[in-house]
Amino acid sequence: MQEEIIQQIQDLKKQRNAVILVHNYQRQEVQSIADFTGDSLELSRKAAQTNADVIVFCGVHFMAETASILSPNKKVLLPDLQSGCPMADMITAEQLIQFKKDNPGATVVTYINSSAAVKAETDICCTSSNAINVVKSVQNDKIIFCPDRNLGSYAQKVLNKKLILWNGFCPTHMKMLPEYVALQKEVHPNAIFLVHPECCPETVALADEVLSTTGILNYVAKSDKQEFIIGTENEITFKLQREYPNKKFYPVTDLAVCPNMKKNSLDKVLNVLKEMNNEIKVPKEIADKAIVPIQRMLEVKPS
Ligand code: 13P
Ligand code: SF4
């Protein structure tokens, strides 16, 4: 049955000249049909480069919006329109406009986990893998960082620079409490702790490495260590355990599941390819503004 659905997806994909981009948190079976799997930065780059006519984006709403902004002439389809990101919804364009008025002269750095309308009010975007380099690239002592206060706190700490933080957060990563990490470390004293910067500062402070989702996957690929505590959404832990069956991976907590990322399924991918519905299209007047901070981000050199 699953093989049949996968075959139908492959056939329709060819017919439509579609590419399937999949975030690292998507269900295993959805990752299995991907043309490309990655973190937010990698997926943005792919969306900008592809020659396909259609992008099926298996991720959350802001990721599909970013793809539509970068590839305005392509049809971007989101298999489940309800797959939003609660952190992205924690700031609106109106709130950011007011925050800028309250902090005149500040440069606005916005995490890619934000709506297109918020990006349109932004100077430069960042993702979890380039936030430090992006903030470093800003030639202004006064910087607003939104919406993720945890990623902002991490950048503040690394760069020893005060940022004006918006009070947003990821509900899934906030479940990875420092006491759970301490418990895992006690039980697995030889394990390396890898964390995503969306976790709270107290949890991040316990980490051996702070990395994006792909950063965590790449770190393990290169490491000769045998045991890892994984501080991000649990799909990464499962994926690592499948890829490295001789190593051991421990989630900080079984509660670390992003319900929005799990809404996409093979059936829904097949359905959007059949119907060509669930298109994510950013209005031109917003897209024309929002592309500027995204492109500025893509030009920041990795260190
Ligand atoms: P990455 O860019 O590290 O994949 O993170 C995206 C995200 O939503 C993490 O919660
Ligand atoms: Fe948003 Fe958190 Fe889910 Fe990432 S894990 S998509 S930040 S809710």
Side-chain angles (χ1 to χ4, degrees), residues 23 25 39-40 63 111 113 128 173 196 198 212-213:
H23 187 263
Y25 290 160
D39 66 11
S40 307
M63 295 180 174
Y111 192 25
N113 295 38
S128 63
H173 283 79
H196 194 280
E198 285 177 16
S212 76
T213 55

Side-chain angles (χ1 to χ4, degrees), residues 75-192:
K75 237 181 183 350
V76 180
L77 310 178
L78 185 63
D80 188 317
L81 287 178
Q82 301 306 316
S83 50
C85 168
M87 182 208 285
D89 295 338
M90 285 180 194
I91 188 164
T92 62
E94 292 69 32
Q95 286 172 314
L96 179 53
I97 290 167
Q98 185 57 47
F99 203 46
K100 289 200 285 188
K101 280 190 191 142
D102 296 342
N103 297 282
T107 298
V108 179
V109 179
T110 298
Y111 192 25
I112 197 112
N113 295 38
S114 52
S115 68
V118 165
K119 289 184 178 83
E121 295 297 328
T122 291
D123 294 300
I124 185 164
C125 288
C126 74
T127 73
S128 63
S129 65
N130 64 13
I132 303 300
N133 286 334
V134 167
V135 174
K136 230 199 274 182
S137 77
V138 174
Q139 304 294 315
N140 187 351
D141 278 342
K142 202 168 172 187
I143 299 176
I144 287 174
F145 191 98
C146 69
D148 187 9
R149 67 171 191 235
N150 291 334
L151 181 60
S153 297
Y154 171 62
Q156 272 192 154
K157 190 149 184 241
V158 172
L159 298 171
N160 192 21
K161 190 176 183 135
K162 185 99 187 77
L163 304 176
I164 306 163
L165 301 179
W166 185 260
N167 193 17
F169 58 88
C170 162
T172 299
H173 283 79
M174 287 297 276
K175 293 197 173 121
M176 292 171 239
L177 302 177
E179 41 276 38
Y180 297 159
V181 178
L183 205 68
Q184 291 293 344
K185 283 189 168 214
E186 213 176 294
V187 184
H188 311 293
N190 296 323
I192 299 280

Side-chain angles (χ1 to χ4, degrees), residues 212-228:
S212 76
T213 55
T214 294
I216 292 175
L217 298 170
N218 290 345
Y219 184 94
V220 172
K222 287 189 198 134
S223 172
D224 54 9
K225 296 282 191 292
Q226 295 303 306
E227 292 181 76
F228 302 86

